[in-house]
Amino acid sequence: MTTAMVAERAGVSVGSLYQYYPNKQALAAAVVDHYGEIFAARFARAIAAGPGDTLVETVDALVATAFESHPHDPRLHKVLIEIAPRVGRGDHRKALSARIAALIEEKLRRHAGELAADLDPAEAAVMLEALLETAAHRALEQHPASLSTARFAGECRRMVLAYLTCPAGRS
């Protein structure tokens, strides 16, 4: 990627591009931030709008949102994740993950009576954010296990419900 290529694609002069982004690292950081904010906003909207009368409905909404809110270009998503730390945006990604975990925690706390008694909703939210993020990435990458995205999401749902409702030490 060259600055000239970016300017041409954006339809601006290289000089104009340099007015906003002093170097390629700053430009890449802005792209990482932009796509991260788009994902977080999609996730927040979908979670707020989703049904949540029961724990099952909440889990269904979380899983569906995770799989539907990711960018539909797995190569772009992979590149954004890989370059974030290299362009100084690792902390921004962590903050986005924390925001999403907070949204999940809020949903889980509404169902405290349906959760395993020994489960901490804040810790569970962090685990679910990581699990859903990873599962959605794998499905988008067409993981070698050859599960369809719908099957991957269904199995993820099953895993999440078991995790949330089964006390530690029981299988």
Side-chain angles (χ1 to χ4, degrees):
M1 174 181 93
T2 67
T3 308
M5 290 168 56
V6 172
E8 181 180 335
R9 177 78 184 252
V12 299
S13 71
V14 173
S16 293
L17 192 63
Y18 277 120
Q19 285 181 320
Y20 296 98
Y21 307 103
N23 53 44
K24 282 193 279 190
Q25 184 172 350
L27 180 60
V31 171
V32 168
D33 290 353
H34 174 75
Y35 278 99
E37 291 300 327
I38 287 172
F39 172 75
R42 280 184 196 160
F43 196 89
R45 277 193 308 274
I47 290 301
D53 293 337
T54 67
L55 180 61
V56 171
E57 288 175 340
T58 295
V59 169
D60 285 345
L62 289 172
V63 171
T65 300
F67 280 78
E68 293 166 5
S69 295
H70 272 75
H72 294 289
D73 183 346
R75 292 175 304 168
L76 172 62
H77 199 70
K78 183 178 179 186
V79 168
L80 293 173
I81 289 169
E82 289 174 359
I83 68 168
R86 293 193 311 230
V87 296
R89 303 317 292 156
D91 288 342
H92 185 258
R93 279 193 31 83
K94 288 178 186 176
L96 285 175
S97 291
R99 282 176 29 205
I100 291 167
L103 293 170
I104 294 170
E105 179 185 354
E106 180 184 326
K107 283 287 194 180
L108 291 179
R109 289 197 182 280
R110 294 179 188 166
H111 303 290
E114 296 176 80
L115 300 176
D118 63 339
L119 192 72
D120 176 358
E123 289 177 1
V126 170
M127 290 294 296
L128 292 182
E129 188 276 333
L131 171 73
L132 294 171
E133 174 81 2
T134 301
H137 289 176
R138 293 292 196 187
L140 285 171
E141 293 171 355
Q142 297 153 345
H143 192 270
S146 299
L147 291 177
S148 70
T149 299
R151 182 78 175 155
F152 220 110
E155 292 301 309
C156 188
R157 174 193 186 271
R158 181 179 181 185
M159 200 176 350
V160 169
L161 283 169
Y163 166 68
L164 293 174
T165 59
C166 184
R170 293 193 52 209
S171 52

